Amino acid sequence: QDAGVFPLLDEECNLPGGKPAAWCNKLSAKYSSGKLLQPVMQCRGNFIIQHFAGPVEYESEAFLQKNKDTLSADVLECMKASS
């Protein structure tokens, strides 16, 4: 299975004590040979993804925090009711 950005994020969030720096290290190791993802040297924990429209800088801390957010009760109920 080829783990992309989001599966690696889920993996890091499910680890006890998962850290943004560890996720960035995994991303850097996986994408070191390509030009689609680059670490930001001046700001550790940030990385740039080359999108079709141009490069976008992201903060790994924000990704991990957002990925750990819980869903609201309404959303959970809606998902349970869907087929």
Side-chain angles (χ1 to χ4, degrees):
Q1 174 178 334
D2 186 31
V5 173
F6 292 114
L8 287 173
L9 176 63
D10 287 339
E11 177 184 291
E12 192 63 33
C13 286
N14 289 327
L15 290 174
K19 303 276 185 218
W23 182 54
C24 272
N25 290 340
K26 290 176 185 177
L27 290 176
S28 293
K30 176 157 180 66
Y31 295 102
S32 64
S33 63
K35 296 181 181 180
L36 296 178
L37 188 137
Q38 305 167 315
V40 177
M41 297 305 177
Q42 304 91 329
C43 193
R44 283 184 62 86
N46 286 18
F47 57 93
I48 296 172
I49 293 181
Q50 296 291 335
H51 293 281
F52 177 75
V56 178
E57 185 173 334
Y58 296 97
E59 297 177 35
S60 61
E61 180 80 33
F63 261 88
L64 263 72
Q65 286 177 352
K66 193 66 177 165
N67 201 51
K68 291 180 181 179
D69 283 353
T70 57
L71 297 174
S72 69
D74 291 342
V75 172
L76 290 173
E77 198 59 42
C78 182
M79 290 173 63
K80 287 178 186 176
S82 68
S83 53

